[in-house]
Every structure is written in structure tokens, then in C-alpha cells.
């Protein structure tokens, strides 16, 4: 009986570690970016909506480069989302109180992608807190929309352009 238990334990540990090894081989990263323009006319301490142009995913080419296809993708999650001020180049994030980014497609409901509240930095780049929502249907789509909600704590004297660098972790099935 003891021998059967040891054999079963060994088999299960080999099975689960080999599944993790296969997942690691079939896991890759897709990068996308979007530009967000925060208007100088945005009100203080009130959430303001910013709609960005649609982001083209180019996911079909990314899947092909990683020897898979959309039908085999089983799990997509956001790995990181970094915001960097691109214009004006000398601006930092001291003006921003909070920011929330949402993703949607024409065929899928909007869900929160990443956020940061109580921002307290004098840097021109910040990393947002990413949600752990499944994003398969959004990344498999040809295009998706990013909606941004910002709350300012300082008046802006000019528009601020922010670049959002998004990295998505993609895991696919072998066949």
C-alpha cells in the first residue's frame, strides 16, 4: 500500500511539473501601446473620461511568430502596464490623483485593465496595478478600445500626452 502511494505521488508530481514545462514553452508576450491625451481643460478632483483611438492588436502575426494560432490560445492576462509622459518632455505625474484604464471590443463588454489610485510621484513614468482578468477575447480581436478615467489634483496649463506600454502574457495549447 505504501509503495502504491509513493508511486502515485511520484507520477502526479511528474505529470504536473511536465504540464508546467509545456505551458512555459507555449507562453509568450505580446506588446501593444496606446497614446492618451489629457486635456488642460480637465476639471480638478472629478473623474474625466478619455477615449483613445482603437489599438490594432496584430495578434495573428504574433501568434504565427510564436508557432500558434488564435484558436489555441487558452489564457491571456496583462503582465504590465507602464505610463510614460511623452509630451511635454519635462512634465511629471504630480498632477495626477488617479487613473483607471478599461478595455473593450465591439463584441466584448468593457472590463478594467489596470489602475493606480493616490498617485504620489514626481517621476515621468509610473507602473499601474494590473487586474488578473482573462483577456483572451480582447487580444484575439483585430482591434480593441482603451477608455481612460483620470482624476487630476493640479490644474494643467497645457495638454499632456501619455504613452501606455502594455505587455500581455499569452499561453497557448500545443494542438
Amino acid at each position: 500500500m505504501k509503495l502504491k502511494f509513493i508511486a502515485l505521488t511520484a507520477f502526479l508530481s511528474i505529470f504536473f511539473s511536465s504540464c508546467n514545462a509545456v505551458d512555459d514553452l507555449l507562453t509568450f508576450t505580446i506588446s501593444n501601446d496606446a497614446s492618451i491625451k489629457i486635456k488642460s481643460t480637465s476639471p480638478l478632483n472629478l473623474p474625466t473620461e478619455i477615449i483613445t483611438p482603437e489599438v490594432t492588436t496584430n495578434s495573428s502575426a504574433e501568434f504565427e511568430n510564436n508557432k500558434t494560432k488564435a484558436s489555441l490560445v487558452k489564457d491571456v492576462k496583462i503582465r504590465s502596464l507602464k505610463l510614460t509622459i511623452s509630451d511635454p518632455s519635462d512634465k511629471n505625474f504630480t498632477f495626477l490623483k488617479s487613473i483607471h484604464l478599461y478595455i473593450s471590443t465591439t463584441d466584448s463588454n468593457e472590463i478594467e485593465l489596470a489602475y493606480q489610485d493616490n498617485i504620489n510621484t514626481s517621476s515621468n513614468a509610473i507602473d499601474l496595478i494590473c487586474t488578473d482578468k482573462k483577456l483572451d477575447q480582447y487580444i484575439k480581436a483585430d482591434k480593441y478600445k482603451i477608455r481612460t478615467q483620470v482624476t487630476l489634483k493640479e490644474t494643467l496649463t497645457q495638454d499632456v500626452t501619455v504613452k501606455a506600454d502594455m505587455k500581455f502574457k499569452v499561453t497557448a495549447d500545443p494542438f
Side-chain angles (χ1 to χ4, degrees):
M1 184 67 173
K2 192 174 186 181
L3 186 58
K4 287 182 183 179
F5 178 73
I6 291 171
L8 180 63
T9 304
F11 172 76
L12 289 175
S13 64
I14 290 169
F15 176 75
F16 286 118
S17 65
S18 65
C19 287
N20 288 340
V22 170
D23 276 355
D24 288 345
L25 289 173
L26 299 171
T27 299
F28 54 95
T29 300
I30 292 179
S31 299
N32 284 320
D33 59 63
S35 184
I36 303 163
K37 184 174 268 191
I38 302 170
K39 300 280 187 184
S40 60
T41 56
S42 299
L44 289 180
N45 293 316
L46 292 175
T48 303
E49 305 290 321
I50 302 167
I51 307 295
T52 62
E54 285 188 325
V55 177
T56 302
T57 63
N58 198 23
S59 57
S60 297
E62 291 283 350
F63 296 152
E64 191 175 312
N65 289 344
N66 287 282
K67 298 174 180 45
T68 192
K69 52 188 173 186
S71 62
L72 296 176
V73 170
K74 66 177 184 177
D75 189 35
V76 179
K77 294 195 176 169
I78 187 150
R79 174 179 273 169
S80 68
L81 201 156
K82 182 176 189 164
L83 300 179
T84 307
I85 297 175
S86 56
D87 185 46
S89 59
D90 63 340
K91 189 73 177 158
N92 59 45
F93 280 108
T94 55
F95 69 93
L96 197 57
K97 184 176 184 178
S98 69
I99 187 164
H100 291 251
L101 274 73
Y102 302 87
I103 189 170
S104 65
T105 67
T106 54
D107 298 328
S108 304
N109 292 332
E110 180 182 82
I111 60 171
E112 189 167 29
L113 190 61
Y115 65 94
Q116 188 68 265
D117 291 317
N118 302 315
I119 298 170
N120 189 17
T121 183
S122 58
S123 174
N124 73 336
I126 57 173
D127 290 312
L128 301 188
I129 299 166
C130 297
T131 64
D132 64 348
K133 307 243 172 94
K134 283 189 69 131
L135 303 170
D136 304 23
Q137 59 194 346
Y138 303 92
I139 300 305
K140 287 179 183 180
D142 293 333
K143 297 178 181 178
Y144 59 81
K145 292 179 186 171
I146 296 290
R147 180 178 65 87
T148 307
Q149 184 180 55
V150 297
T151 303
L152 303 182
K153 61 183 174 185
E154 294 176 8
T155 303
L156 293 175
T157 57
Q158 66 186 96
D159 294 350
V160 176
T161 304
V162 177
K163 182 180 176 193
D165 289 314
M166 300 168 275
K167 297 203 184 311
F168 299 93
K169 178 182 172 187
V170 179
T171 304
D173 277 330
F175 350 85

